[in-house]
């Protein structure tokens, strides 16, 4: 039986290039149900497995602001791919990892295809791949999708990790938000609120982020808990506005970037003085 693998990443990270490198001519194009977003799907056989590869729409985040974000998120939640191959532009690491972090918060089984290593090399940037992998707790495979370099290693890594079920990543958003999240999460867990679809903390987070899709699902599912969660989120929002002149969404985004920065600061990226020293 084919194993479903989702390719996900920021626009222009090389998703389609990698998709073509993996599937060759064995691909077909359709639409995601109910929307005009194009769905590319293809077969790749490697490591004695058949992988059914789906090229998700390119996104920077997993909020519900754009159709692409909703499509990518719904696919992960509903189709539960065995693995997400998250294509990361290695020459633009900080920005790209913002999406990675959100997959991890969803508890998705992620591996990073660290692409554009040639571009990073030309800029004199060296990435300590092992350290990045260790600090994130994810497999990371460096590659150049355009030439196919790293393809075999990526497929081996995917085959080795398809069965993993990592615990959702829990990052700190500062005390005010963390305390509220804990309280919401507890109620969500004990009432099994939307937990057939999403991890508990993720539902709580989405209430704080005022996520239209989750709020709508919550309202339809059980209005009493929905009202309670909305009230708790509103209370926190007012508190943050009064005390810090900010709102939960802004603070959550800031803390995510803070988390990424703190990882990258630990010697993951170094700059060589001689940009002609191409590692790739
Ligand atoms: P997508 O938007 O994520 O699907 O990205 P594409 O696959 O369309 O790639 C965006 C651009 O980056 C194209 O011009 C690709 O040829 C190029 N590209 C993809 N991978 C690499 C790579 O590893 N190195 C370099 N230098 N260019 C790449
Ligand atoms: K593109
Ligand atoms: Mg594309």
């Amino acid at each position: 039986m084919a194993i479903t693998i989702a390719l996900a990443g920021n626009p222009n990270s090389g998703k389609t290039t990698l998709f073509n490198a993996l599937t060759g001519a064995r691909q077909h194009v359709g639409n995601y149900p109910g929307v005009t977003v194009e769905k590319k799907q293809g077969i790749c056989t490697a490591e004695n497995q058949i992988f059914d590869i789906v090229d998700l729409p390119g996104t920077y985040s997993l909020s519900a602001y754009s159709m692409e974000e909703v499509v990518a998120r719904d696919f992960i939640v509903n189709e539960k791919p065995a693995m997400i191959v998250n294509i990361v532009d290695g020459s633009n690491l900080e920005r790209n990892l913002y999406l990675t972090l959100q997959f991890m918060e969803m508890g998705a089984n992620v591996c990073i295809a660290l692409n554009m290593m040639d571009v990073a090399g030309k800029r004199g940037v060296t990435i300590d791949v092992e350290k990045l992998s260790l600090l994130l707790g994810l497999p990371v495979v460096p590659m150049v999708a355009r030439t196919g370099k790293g393809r075999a290693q990526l497929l081996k890594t995917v085959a080795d990790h398809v069965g993993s079920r990592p615990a959702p990543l829990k990052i700190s958003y500062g005390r005010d938000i963390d305390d509220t999240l804990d309280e919401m999460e507890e109620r969500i867990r004990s009432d099994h609120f939307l937990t057939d679809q999403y991890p508990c903390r993720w539902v709580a987070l989405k209430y704080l982020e005022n996520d239209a899709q989750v709020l709508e699902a919550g309202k339809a599912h059980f209005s009493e808990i929905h009202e309670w969660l909305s009230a708790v989120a509103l209370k926190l929002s007012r508190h943050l506005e009064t005390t810090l002149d900010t709102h939960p969404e802004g603070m959550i985004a800031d803390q995510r970037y803070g988390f990424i920065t703190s990882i990258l600061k630990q010697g993951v990226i170094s700059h060589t003085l001689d940009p002609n020293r191409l590692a790739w």
Side-chain angles (χ1 to χ4, degrees):
M1 215 183 76
I3 300 168
T4 304
I5 305 293
L7 292 192
N10 288 184
N12 292 316
S13 56
K15 249 172 352 75
T16 301
T17 307
L18 178 60
F19 176 79
N20 291 336
L22 293 176
T23 62
R26 295 200 288 172
Q27 46 177 270
H28 62 94
V29 183
N31 271 353
Y32 287 93
V35 290
T36 54
V37 179
E38 187 179 84
K39 181 183 187 185
K40 275 187 162 179
Q41 209 160 352
I43 295 290
C44 170
T45 45
E47 304 285 324
N48 294 317
Q49 312 267 19
I50 303 168
F51 298 114
D52 179 13
I53 305 198
V54 179
D55 186 18
L56 294 184
T59 59
Y60 295 106
S61 184
L62 287 180
S63 50
Y65 288 126
S66 72
M67 199 186 276
E68 284 75 16
E69 290 180 346
V70 171
V71 165
R73 205 167 90 173
D74 281 354
F75 187 85
I76 294 162
V77 169
N78 300 326
E79 306 298 322
K80 298 182 176 49
M83 182 152 232
I84 297 175
V85 173
N86 177 199
I87 300 147
V88 162
D89 177 352
S91 69
N92 207 343
L93 207 47
E94 189 174 0
R95 183 186 198 179
N96 278 246
L97 289 178
Y98 188 74
L99 179 65
T100 310
L101 219 59
Q102 292 176 72
F103 290 135
M104 294 170 76
E105 288 187 288
M106 288 179 84
N109 185 25
V110 186
C111 99
I112 291 181
L114 189 60
N115 196 30
M116 308 274 184
M117 290 303 281
D118 57 332
V119 179
K122 274 177 203 154
R123 290 186 192 162
V125 174
T126 310
I127 300 170
D128 187 333
V129 174
E130 253 169 64
K131 192 175 267 179
L132 180 64
S133 169
L134 200 71
L135 292 171
L136 285 172
L138 298 177
V140 179
V141 180
M143 63 186 310
V144 180
R146 196 143 83 178
T147 62
K149 194 159 183 178
R151 179 188 184 276
Q153 185 58 39
L154 178 68
L155 286 166
K156 187 181 181 322
T157 303
V158 169
D160 285 349
H161 290 85
V162 275
S164 306
R165 302 282 283 142
L169 172 71
K170 195 172 160 176
I171 65 179
S172 172
Y173 294 109
R175 204 168 138 211
D176 287 331
I177 291 185
D178 288 349
D179 287 351
T180 304
L181 270 179
D182 286 343
E183 189 190 354
M184 293 168 103
E185 189 185 351
E186 202 179 298
R187 173 99 192 247
I188 289 164
R189 180 170 290 113
S190 67
D191 289 344
H192 305 289
F193 183 67
L194 300 179
T195 52
D196 50 334
Q197 294 178 66
Y198 310 113
C200 301
R201 200 172 186 82
W202 197 81
V203 175
L205 205 50
K206 290 294 142 182
Y207 267 85
L208 293 187
E209 288 181 299
N210 217 0
D211 184 279
Q213 198 195 20
V214 167
L215 262 61
E216 200 177 296
K219 193 174 180 179
H221 187 76
F222 193 174
S223 63
E224 194 197 320
I225 308 169
H226 168 78
E227 298 300 338
W228 183 81
L229 290 169
S230 301
V232 172
L234 183 64
K235 191 176 147 203
L236 176 70
S237 179
R238 293 212 168 117
H239 171 72
L240 290 179
E241 213 175 312
T242 320
T243 56
L244 297 166
D245 197 22
T246 184
H247 49 91
E249 256 187 286
M251 204 153 164
I252 287 166
D254 286 350
Q255 298 290 330
R256 281 193 186 123
Y257 276 116
F259 184 91
I260 293 163
T261 309
S262 73
I263 283 179
L264 296 184
K265 263 198 208 146
Q266 297 177 55
V268 171
I269 298 176
S270 52
H271 299 265
T272 59
L273 291 175
D274 178 10
N276 294 320
R277 246 194 55 201
L278 299 181
W280 285 79

